[in-house]
Amino acid sequence: MAIARSLGLLLFLLLDSDETTERSRNVCQLKDAHEYDTFDLTDIAKCFTKCEQLEDSSCDVGNLQRYWLNYESYLLENSMETVDMPFVKALIQNISTDVSEDLLFSLMPSQIPRQVMQGEDQPTDRVRLPKSLFGTLLPGNRSAVRLAITVLNIGAGNVFKGAKLLQDNGSSVLNNRMVGLSVGQKHTTGLSEPVEITFSHQRQLPNMILTCVFWDVAKGNWDSQGCSTELGDERTVCHCDHLTFFALLLRPILDMATAQTLTRISQAGCGVSMIFLAFTMVLYVTLRLSLQRFKSEDAPKIHMALSSSLFLLNLTFLINVGSSSQGSPASCWVRAAIFHYFLLCVFTWMGLEAFHLYLLAIRVFNTYFGHYFLKLSLLGWGLPALVVIGVGSSNSYGIYTIRNQENRTSLELCWFQKEPALYATVHGYFLVSFLFGAVVLALVAWKFFTLPSVTAGKGQGQTWKSVFTILGLSSLVSSSSAGSLSSTSRGRAPQPPPPALPVWTRPTPFHKSRQLQFDLSSRWVCDLGQLPTSFWVHCLLCTGCLRRERMETRLNHMAPKLLLGELGRLMA
């Protein structure tokens, strides 16, 4: 007997479970008639999360959307004043048609909308209704009109998303919130004064476009016609000339696949550069261990220091861009300071390369200095540290935002947040290093093209050797980096990107992802093509230092002859 009862109870539970599952499926399909009581609202609201796929047969998205759109009309017809549920907050209020000022209502999350009285602080999320709105909607001779403000949490499913939004990978509704406005159950369009809805957010996300939209019932999709978007750092204001349900859409400037491809291209470019730099440093260590003369030469040590600073700059760039602006403000400050330090080290060692070149090719005599490389190292690594300490003490490091011409954020990284410090310690520092290197390079070029013609006749082969030598030296004294400084003006003023950024990450005027993809890819190819050349220049200059003493010996023998020849011409 007990066994029979147990089997009967089990059968009852199974049947009840099937009935519950069938009812849940029917709820999201809305085949049965449903009212707007608390039980039905709570049951149907679960479909916001259940309907997650566009082709889900258990959900009738169209019926669900019509159900919630008609809910606002239901609120206006009934005598309810507020609705407070986890998924919907609403305020229903009678408004006089002869109001003397605009009305402001709070739309703060997790709170019922309420009117903000004059003198109160304005909430971050709010809606402003112009006073002219109520006078134009006067039904007959009535002195008041009924207003409904609804805030609906639509969840992460496909309800109120629209086919276009679901197809755009990475697109979403801000905080999954819709704001509904309705006055007197009248379809209101073409307002002379637009309504103003303010949505707050942390910061404008990089690679995202924020757009004010409304739900078009006829199309079953989001539309921006009649709405304008006013962007801000931590808020976006929507101005719309009609009343319906509104939201703020987030769309990626680039689709996720393209953005990931460009990120890999940037990482590959820096990685290839680091490989060549590492190979150069290994070559130096090998030559230093195998050749006695390398241990006393200063030129290879300077090349090594420059290669090391470039390697560390690429490494810190990869870390900085990879982590973006994530983490605490303190960690962002540290990443920006380290990035800045190695950038200045590169500029400083380029200037020291030019100084050493001046001693070798221009001054030639009396070029011995005690502890020469130690002094250069103190200057090459110490001066940037002093600059970074000074910049850090002024609290100039922080989140740096690069925007395009439409004021859309395309990249965020830890860099400068104060422009005067950026111009002084990056652009100005580079300009000094570049001008010094350019002057030294010009003097060296003059020496190369004039000295052979005085001593012994200049052949065609010697001319080409001089040309290639000058081109090789230009990569060490920052002359080849002049284009990077001028190209920073391509960004939207007044925020040029840091010149240390690879060319493929600098902001360019773009409007479509395909154009941007082509522009970034082509720039990357151009920069990558220079890497092998720089590598071989480093190698040739390192090995060329083996003949430095031989060159100095020849110059020492030639100098007296040149001096006597010049004196003879003056006496004649």
Side-chain angles (χ1 to χ4, degrees):
M1 187 67 178
I3 296 176
R5 289 179 180 178
S6 299
L7 291 175
L9 180 60
L10 179 61
L11 181 61
F12 174 78
L13 291 175
L14 291 174
L15 292 176
D16 183 67
S17 176
D18 293 340
E19 183 179 352
T20 301
T21 303
E22 184 66 25
R23 171 175 171 76
S24 177
R25 184 180 295 110
N26 291 336
V27 165
C28 293
Q29 291 180 345
L30 288 183
K31 292 183 177 180
D32 302 327
H34 292 274
E35 302 294 335
Y36 291 106
D37 54 37
T38 304
F39 177 80
D40 280 348
L41 286 171
T42 304
D43 211 18
I44 296 176
K46 297 177 182 178
C47 299
F48 285 137
T49 56
K50 290 180 180 179
C51 302
E52 295 181 354
Q53 298 180 359
L54 187 62
E55 303 296 335
D56 192 347
S57 59
S58 64
C59 296
D60 192 327
V61 176
N63 284 339
L64 290 171
Q65 292 170 170
R66 281 188 291 271
Y67 175 85
W68 290 108
L69 292 173
N70 294 330
Y71 179 58
E72 200 170 49
S73 299
Y74 168 81
L75 295 177
L76 291 171
E77 294 174 354
N78 291 270
S79 58
M80 302 177 63
E81 295 184 355
T82 60
V83 176
D84 186 7
M85 295 184 180
F87 49 88
V88 61
K89 312 285 185 183
L91 170 68
I92 303 92
Q93 184 174 326
N94 291 325
I95 304 296
S96 174
T97 56
D98 59 350
V99 293
S100 58
E101 59 185 14
D102 296 346
L103 301 182
L104 184 66
F105 294 87
S106 171
L107 300 177
M108 296 299 293
S110 304
Q111 295 181 9
I112 301 174
R114 65 174 184 86
Q115 185 174 359
V116 179
M117 308 308 296
Q118 189 175 6
E120 292 187 49
D121 294 336
Q122 292 189 0
T124 54
D125 291 70
R126 57 187 181 269
V127 57
R128 183 182 298 277
L129 303 177
K131 60 182 180 181
S132 60
L133 168 65
F134 304 100
T136 57
L137 296 177
L138 179 61
N141 295 323
R142 296 176 59 183
S143 60
V145 66
R146 200 159 175 79
L147 166 69
I149 301 178
T150 308
V151 180
L152 184 61
N153 187 350
I154 59 176
N158 58 6
V159 181
F160 285 113
K161 297 301 189 296
K164 185 176 181 181
L165 184 65
L166 292 173
Q167 291 173 359
D168 292 341
N169 190 15
S171 300
S172 62
V173 176
L174 178 67
N175 298 326
N176 293 318
R177 294 178 67 209
M178 292 173 54
V179 177
L181 301 176
S182 183
V183 176
Q185 296 188 10
K186 184 176 181 180
H187 184 62
T188 307
T189 58
L191 296 176
S192 57
E193 295 182 67
V195 297
E196 179 184 293
I197 309 170
T198 303
F199 296 94
S200 66
H201 41 78
Q202 292 291 331
R203 281 195 315 273
Q204 186 176 342
L205 299 177
N207 194 39
M208 299 299 292
I209 298 176
L210 301 179
T211 308
C212 297
V213 293
F214 72 95
W215 184 258
D216 191 326
V217 179
K219 298 179 181 178
N221 210 340
W222 293 105
D223 197 346
S224 60
Q225 186 176 2
C227 292
S228 62
T229 306
E230 179 184 336
L231 297 174
D233 291 335
E234 295 184 352
R235 65 181 179 87
T236 299
V237 182
C238 301
H239 301 272
C240 298
D241 63 357
H242 53 279
L243 300 182
T244 182
F245 276 88
F246 302 95
L248 189 63
L249 291 192
L250 286 77
R251 289 193 179 98
I253 297 175
L254 301 176
D255 59 88
M256 296 302 295
T258 304
Q260 291 176 359
T261 301
L262 294 177
T263 300
R264 294 191 187 100
I265 289 176
S266 298
Q267 294 171 343
C270 289
V272 172
S273 178
M274 293 172 65
I275 291 174
F276 281 108
L277 290 168
F279 196 88
T280 301
M281 292 185 287
V282 171
L283 177 63
Y284 166 78
V285 173
T286 303
L287 292 176
R288 181 176 174 84
L289 294 176
S290 59
L291 300 176
Q292 182 65 28
R293 189 173 299 175
F294 248 68
K295 296 181 180 180
S296 59
E297 287 289 341
D298 292 320
K301 298 177 184 178
I302 299 175
H303 301 330
M304 181 69 172
L306 177 58
S307 299
S308 301
S309 60
L310 284 168
F311 181 88
L312 294 173
L313 177 62
N314 278 278
L315 180 61
T316 54
F317 173 77
L318 286 176
I319 296 174
N320 200 358
V321 174
S323 58
S324 186
S325 57
Q326 300 173 358
S328 64
S331 64
C332 186
W333 189 97
V334 171
R335 292 200 302 270
I338 295 175
F339 187 28
H340 187 208
Y341 172 73
F342 286 119
L343 172 63
L344 296 184
C345 287
V346 170
F347 292 161
T348 306
W349 280 108
M350 283 183 174
L352 295 177
E353 285 275 8
F355 174 74
H356 187 71
L357 183 61
Y358 166 79
L359 295 181
L360 287 179
I362 308 300
R363 187 170 177 176
V364 180
F365 301 105
N366 299 323
T367 60
Y368 174 78
F369 299 94
H371 304 290
Y372 175 64
F373 185 72
L374 177 61
K375 295 176 181 178
L376 292 184
S377 298
L378 291 176
L379 184 62
W381 302 110
L383 180 60
L386 295 177
V387 175
V388 169
I389 292 173
V391 174
S393 62
S394 63
N395 196 26
S396 298
Y397 296 126
I399 296 177
Y400 184 91
T401 303
I402 298 176
R403 303 177 186 272
N404 61 6
Q405 287 186 332
E406 298 178 351
N407 198 32
R408 313 292 189 185
T409 300
S410 57
L411 179 65
E412 276 189 348
L413 73 161
C414 297
W415 187 232
F416 282 87
Q417 60 181 359
K418 294 183 179 180
E419 292 181 1
L422 171 65
Y423 289 122
T425 63
V426 175
H427 293 75
Y429 200 101
F430 171 81
L431 188 61
V432 172
S433 175
F434 166 71
L435 291 178
F436 178 68
V439 170
V440 172
L441 186 65
L443 292 175
V444 171
W446 177 76
K447 281 286 187 180
F448 266 100
F449 289 107
T450 58
L451 186 60
S453 63
V454 176
T455 57
K458 181 168 63 175
Q460 187 68 21
Q462 183 66 26
T463 301
W464 282 110
K465 288 181 180 179
S466 300
V467 171
F468 285 121
T469 303
I470 296 300
L471 292 177
L473 292 173
S474 67
S475 67
L476 296 181
V477 294
S478 73
S479 298
S480 62
S481 304
S484 65
L485 184 64
S486 62
S487 65
T488 58
S489 61
R490 292 177 177 270
R492 183 186 65 86
Q495 292 186 348
L501 293 179
V503 181
W504 56 86
T505 64
R506 296 183 189 129
T508 53
F510 59 86
H511 304 282
K512 296 183 180 180
S513 61
R514 290 185 181 274
Q515 179 182 353
L516 176 65
Q517 182 180 7
F518 172 79
D519 186 64
L520 297 180
S521 300
S522 61
R523 287 169 177 260
W524 171 77
V525 170
C526 292
D527 273 17
L528 184 60
Q530 297 174 2
L531 295 176
T533 304
S534 300
F535 163 70
W536 289 116
V537 167
H538 278 284
C539 293
L540 291 175
L541 287 173
C542 285
T543 55
C545 290
L546 294 173
R547 295 175 301 208
R548 176 189 171 189
E549 293 182 359
R550 190 182 307 169
M551 174 183 173
E552 290 181 351
T553 302
R554 292 181 60 190
L555 288 174
N556 290 335
H557 286 292
M558 290 161 50
K561 298 179 181 179
L562 294 174
L563 182 59
L564 292 175
E566 187 66 24
L567 290 174
R569 285 194 298 270
L570 291 175
M571 292 176 65

